[in-house]
Amino acid sequence: MVQFWLKTVTAFAVKPSPLVAFVTVIVIGVVGFYSLHFPFHSAASIDASRFSHVFLSSSSNATISNYLRALTVHPHLAGTKAASVTARYVLNHFTGLGLRAHTARHSALLSYPLRSSLAAHFSDGSSLEFRLGEGEGDEEVVAPYHAYSPSGSAWAAAVFVNYGREEDFRLLAAAGVRVAGIGAGAVVEAAERHGAAAVVVFGDDTWPRGFERGHVMRGGIGDPLSPGWGGEDGGESLGLDDSKVLKRFPKIPSMPLSAEAAERILVSLGGAPLPLDWRGTLKSSKVRNVGPGPTMLNFTYQGEMKVATIENVFAVIKGREESDRYVLLGNHRDAWTYGAVDPNSGTAALLDIARRYSILLRLGWTPRRTIILCSWDAEEFGMIGSTEWVEQNLVNLGSKAVAYLNVDCAVQGSGFFAGSTPQLDDLLLDVIKKVNDPDSEGTTIYQSWAAAGGKSNIQRLSRVDSDFAPFVQHAGVPSIDMYYGKDYPVYHTAFDSYNWMTEFGDPFFHRHVAVTGIWGLLALRLADDSIIPFNYLSYADQLQVYNDILSNLLEKQISLHPLNASIQEFASAAKEANDESKKLRLQENSDDFVDMKIRALNDRLMLTEKGFLDVDGLRGRQWFRHLVFGPHRDHESKLDFFPGIADSMSELFKMSEKERVAAIQHEVWRVVRAIQRAASALRGDFT
């Protein structure tokens, strides 16, 4: 048995760990409907620009700073008493502002450490037992661990495998080192497959003494005991010995390690020389070899899994004209440690949006559509809080949700980043024209973006690293995810504190103000514009880009003509919808019949995203139903779109040439039918 020493800069750069494979099954049909419409032209629709100005002008960096300080006094890991106290703080904040608020509780399987140890035994006979924690004064902080790791122990030689990618293991194999695997969760799965005894992972970009906590659950997101339905007390729950549940957990133990401790081991390795391609990935220039050994590692981890109550907190601002249409803003509240960046910079922003909306309400504003502020729990364990809620409310989300706006870590550092489903691109760009760039005096965020690539900066939402995932990839709700700063060195460590934020992340909280402004303005537009501000021509353009990329990767015998034709059909429907929107805006407020037409158009704009869902889901991962945006089984895939096609391309070695072509062509046809469904929904006509 070979003890793996695994280093990954990306092991916990996103959540959950990148190796999750998804198998949960759910098949639910969602239908749109038109309800009776009684027009009421509210103050918001008449004077929306005034309320937007008031929203922006009521910003307060000191207020956001105070919220963050209060949220991060104690660590608040999901399922603990401290987490419940934090939930009550958020609830009391909402109710104190006069907002209607409530808590939705779910039962979920969580995982906690009991004890762990790691010692290195060097070739000169000396040994070193590592301190598994950030230092003195961190007694409140949970010990570094990987949630859902099984208990176990190992005594084996250390091997360094760089990022843990398949290409890294191929290099090792070429050097005569027989190991294999890939990064935290993915590394554990691969290491288990190749007979490893245990896994330790460190992040080279973290502070030297920081330990990146995370989880290694695989096979899906959400509570493993309620796959496909919302877990609740008294409801159906699978047993821990159920085969569906057991598949979600690795069979070998793992734990995180600090970069400081990792270097002590790496510099002691002998064996095969460090490959040239790996020398740029390590900060230390002292590492010369990859092992195995001669250093031996003595590894022990003991943990427990237990069902706990998690708490999602909501504030509802009821719409006056279309109260049955919902705009949702979400952030998760739970943290591995103090969570100043992840996630409570976003929580502080959400609390400030609530404060600012309460000011608008006192001035006479009422949104046209209902706004819901969502504070999720247990995101760090695999988006459990948001996933359970989405599963429980799937039909209503399918027919009534306008959009979901997600902020996880509001501020990690400098630079604004955003991802969206493409029909929201133009709205996002329009809003950032109205918000000042906190890092460049006299310019807007849009101007800074335009100088750096403009619309091409917008990312897509195929990742599974935050609470937008269940909304986009399971429910088909148009979504945006945004944050300031790409990476930060205290990720998931005990150093993610209020002090770090005030010293390094955002000392004057100007970036927090910027994110809060964008987030709140996006919701105001989506809630108050008479015609929902979606532009599906952007979606058509994105699909065409994907078609062009795919055509350069696939062989001639796989036909993309049907895909291209379906995209053209969708583009035509998108142009018709845009033309209809322009016409109705000119006729707006003329009579009730026009209001009915606007309502009908809005329903089609809302439901179009659902067309990209497939009731059968991705092969082997049926919970993921979106055929344009979703995670791929192969983490080294060249495609970050069309996950079904990407999966079929990555499994070619298992098939004959004829089977290979047929499998890819079938996945292409599935995407074709999805695009056709979306075009049909946008037009609102039967075939």
Side-chain angles (χ1 to χ4, degrees), residues 289-347:
N289 302 86
V290 299
T295 299
M296 303 294 290
L297 297 181
N298 190 359
F299 172 112
T300 300
Y301 172 75
Q302 184 178 355
E304 65 173 347
M305 296 189 194
K306 61 182 180 181
V307 174
T309 298
I310 62 172
E311 301 174 278
N312 295 328
V313 181
F314 303 93
V316 181
I317 304 173
K318 195 172 182 64
R320 188 165 187 173
E321 187 171 2
E322 297 182 74
S323 61
D324 62 337
R325 296 294 182 261
Y326 299 90
V327 177
L328 302 104
L329 297 80
N331 155 267
H332 79 90
R333 187 184 62 253
D334 65 297
W336 287 114
T337 64
Y338 298 98
V341 174
D342 184 6
N344 297 134
S345 59
T347 312

Side-chain angles (χ1 to χ4, degrees), residues 402 420-427 460 476-479 533-539 605-606 608-609 612 629:
V402 175
S420 73
T421 47
Q423 73 275 61
L424 285 160
D425 288 358
D426 287 357
L427 174 63
R460 295 304 173 213
V477 176
S479 298
F534 289 170
N535 180 3
Y536 279 99
L537 283 174
S538 294
Y539 221 125
L605 292 170
M606 284 170 46
T608 296
E609 187 73 35
F612 298 114
F629 300 118

Side-chain angles (χ1 to χ4, degrees), residues 630-650:
H632 306 143
R633 192 188 302 276
D634 180 2
H635 306 291
E636 297 178 37
S637 172
K638 296 179 181 179
L639 301 183
D640 58 358
F641 53 88
F642 298 161
I645 296 176
D647 285 351
S648 66
M649 292 172 63
S650 67

